[in-house]
Amino acid sequence: MSHEPIRVGLFLLGVGPSPRGVWTRLRDMVGALSGETELELYAAVTSESERDLLALPPERTLLLPPIGLIQRVVHTSRAARAFVSRFDLDVLQVESMPIPQRASVPMVVSLHDLREFDSPAWKIRSAAEVYRRTMMPRHARRVDAIFSLTLWMKQEIELYLSTDNVQVIPPIAPKAETPSRPPWRGAETSLFNRPFLLALGHLEPRKNLEVLIRASNEPTWPNDLQLVIAGADHGSLPTLRQLASTSPASIHFLGPINDNDKWWLLTHAAVVAVPSLIEGFGIVALESIVAGTPVLVADAAALPEVVGDRRAILDPHDHVAWGQRIRDVVGDPKFRTSVVEHEAASLPRHTSVAVASQLLSVYRNLVTPV
């Protein structure tokens, strides 16, 4: 007996321009599901480049005009219903705010970040933050399922929204790229003639990069180990530079880098450090594992869940402990190898097959509830 495939529509109005991390996740998710005969994917996008990035045929996409958040609050529900009607969808998957209302089919919402709810109300400066703090919780409680990247985030969402319909769907691990040589020229190339610890990401307070600079002042810090910090400044660079000026270690700020540069750094680093205080997932940690480089993370938020090795999980405020563990990883080849092997054990749950299977299970249950 044959069954009609489940028609799932990705509603992407308001996701924002690519490249962004969400587009990488969506591209990988669509690729993982593209071979499933039980499923047909459709997408509502705001540009042809977004459609091309997802590699969906034009006949399965609806092109929507890009509009601002306030306009989306007014028009999103109407656009979502038109999307559902045009392709006779069975499930609507929403990847950005605001959440449509009365979509007429089961609706899934991806919700990976509740940082706005940790900030005092007087710090709210954008319409998006106002929506998330006021209307979004009520709208989210009405959906049929919420996708989260980690168990930690699932628990946070359930606590805040008083709901039990959160499903953990981890991201698919990216494929490592391995450029054969540093992409930089001139003086910067000489930086990589010595071992280095890599910290990668936006330079902002929640990234807690100060703990690494303080660790570089400790006597346990390896003598020849450089600290390389790569990423765009989001408010922390002046403080980090001031701290670095008193450190005996060699500390370098590379600024924003491209994807090829990122993979060269991840592949060639002696160790990667992610001391963040808040991460809904921590993609740099997963990318480090894919690259075969040991990664040390803060004992905070979702990061311990990503690496899965207690020896690689440290108090985010204890710079002495960071200095000691960095010494262990850099100076002891057997310890380094053991950490790499234990961290690699987390990769099977991030394969395209594993993630596609979880997604299909959710879609089936939405269409045919048990």
Side-chain angles (χ1 to χ4, degrees):
M1 179 178 178
S2 63
H3 297 277
E4 289 293 321
I6 301 171
R7 297 185 169 212
V8 177
L10 304 177
F11 189 71
L12 308 179
L13 180 64
V15 169
S18 61
R20 292 183 64 194
V22 64
W23 285 107
T24 301
R25 181 179 61 80
L26 288 169
R27 179 201 63 198
D28 294 343
M29 183 185 73
V30 170
L33 292 170
S34 61
E36 298 290 342
T37 58
E38 189 179 341
L39 186 75
E40 285 183 358
L41 283 177
Y42 300 80
V45 297
T46 57
S47 70
E48 293 182 0
S49 62
E50 293 174 0
R51 181 191 66 201
D52 295 341
L53 181 66
L54 298 177
L56 286 174
E59 62 269 21
R60 289 195 184 183
T61 57
L62 174 64
L63 195 61
L64 299 171
I67 55 177
L69 177 69
I70 294 177
Q71 289 177 297
R72 294 203 304 271
V73 170
V74 176
H75 298 292
T76 286
S77 294
R78 185 185 307 161
R81 289 195 296 271
F83 180 42
V84 170
S85 176
R86 175 164 180 172
F87 296 110
D88 192 22
L89 299 177
D90 299 304
V91 177
L92 182 68
Q93 182 167 324
V94 179
E95 289 288 336
S96 66
M97 301 298 113
I99 299 171
Q101 302 298 293
R102 300 177 298 278
S104 74
V105 295
M107 181 162 53
V108 178
V109 171
S110 293
L111 186 57
H112 308 315
D113 196 338
L114 294 180
R115 271 181 281 157
E116 283 90 350
F117 306 115
D118 294 324
S119 303
W122 61 268
K123 283 190 175 182
I124 295 177
R125 294 184 175 89
S126 70
E129 290 174 330
V130 171
Y131 171 81
R132 285 175 177 265
R133 287 288 289 263
T134 57
M135 301 171 67
M136 191 278 285
R138 183 172 69 255
H139 293 174
R141 291 188 191 103
R142 298 174 181 170
V143 305
D144 298 276
I146 296 173
F147 282 166
S148 167
L149 294 175
T150 60
L151 179 60
W152 177 82
M153 197 68 243
K154 166 185 164 73
Q155 294 167 342
E156 290 286 298
I157 295 169
E158 289 179 340
L159 179 64
Y160 184 81
L161 298 180
S162 300
T163 184
D164 59 359
N165 66 347
V166 184
Q167 305 287 331
V168 177
I169 308 292
I172 296 169
K175 294 180 180 179
E177 299 176 16
T178 53
S180 59
R181 60 181 181 176
W184 297 276
R185 298 292 180 267
E188 284 186 322
T189 304
S190 65
L191 299 180
F192 307 108
N193 293 333
R194 292 163 48 200
F196 63 93
L197 178 148
L198 175 65
L200 175 63
H202 292 156
L203 312 188
E204 55 183 313
R206 73 181 179 93
K207 296 295 186 179
N208 191 36
L209 297 175
E210 293 84 351
V211 74
L212 299 178
I213 298 178
R214 293 191 176 99
S216 74
N217 281 279
E218 290 299 307
T220 52
W221 186 269
N223 291 332
D224 61 344
L225 184 68
Q226 302 178 98
L227 172 55
V228 172
I229 298 175
D233 179 32
H234 281 217
S236 289
L237 184 58
T239 299
L240 295 173
R241 284 195 182 279
Q242 184 177 6
L243 280 175
S245 68
T246 62
S247 173
S250 180
I251 302 176
H252 307 278
F253 297 91
L254 299 185
I257 59 173
N258 62 35
D259 206 50
N260 287 334
D261 298 352
K262 175 189 73 174
W263 282 107
W264 192 95
L265 290 168
L266 287 169
T267 303
H268 289 83
V271 58
V272 176
V274 186
S276 302
L277 301 174
I278 292 290
E279 292 286 356
F281 180 76
I283 190 62
V284 172
L286 181 60
E287 290 172 334
S288 303
I289 296 170
V290 170
T293 301
V295 56
L296 304 178
V297 302
D299 190 3
L303 290 169
E305 197 175 329
V306 179
V307 301
D309 186 338
R310 282 304 316 175
R311 299 169 300 173
I313 302 168
L314 302 164
D315 183 335
H317 304 293
D318 189 346
H319 66 276
V320 175
W322 280 88
Q324 292 171 340
R325 192 50 45 85
I326 289 166
R327 176 201 59 192
D328 295 340
V329 174
V330 173
D332 186 339
K334 289 185 178 178
F335 184 80
R336 173 191 168 92
T337 299
S338 178
V339 170
V340 168
E341 290 175 348
H342 278 79
E343 291 180 340
S346 67
L347 291 178
R349 68 174 178 266
H350 295 284
T351 64
S352 58
V353 173
V355 173
S357 176
Q358 289 180 267
L359 286 166
L360 274 173
S361 178
V362 174
Y363 299 146
R364 287 192 203 105
N365 289 337
L366 289 173
V367 175
T368 310
V370 178

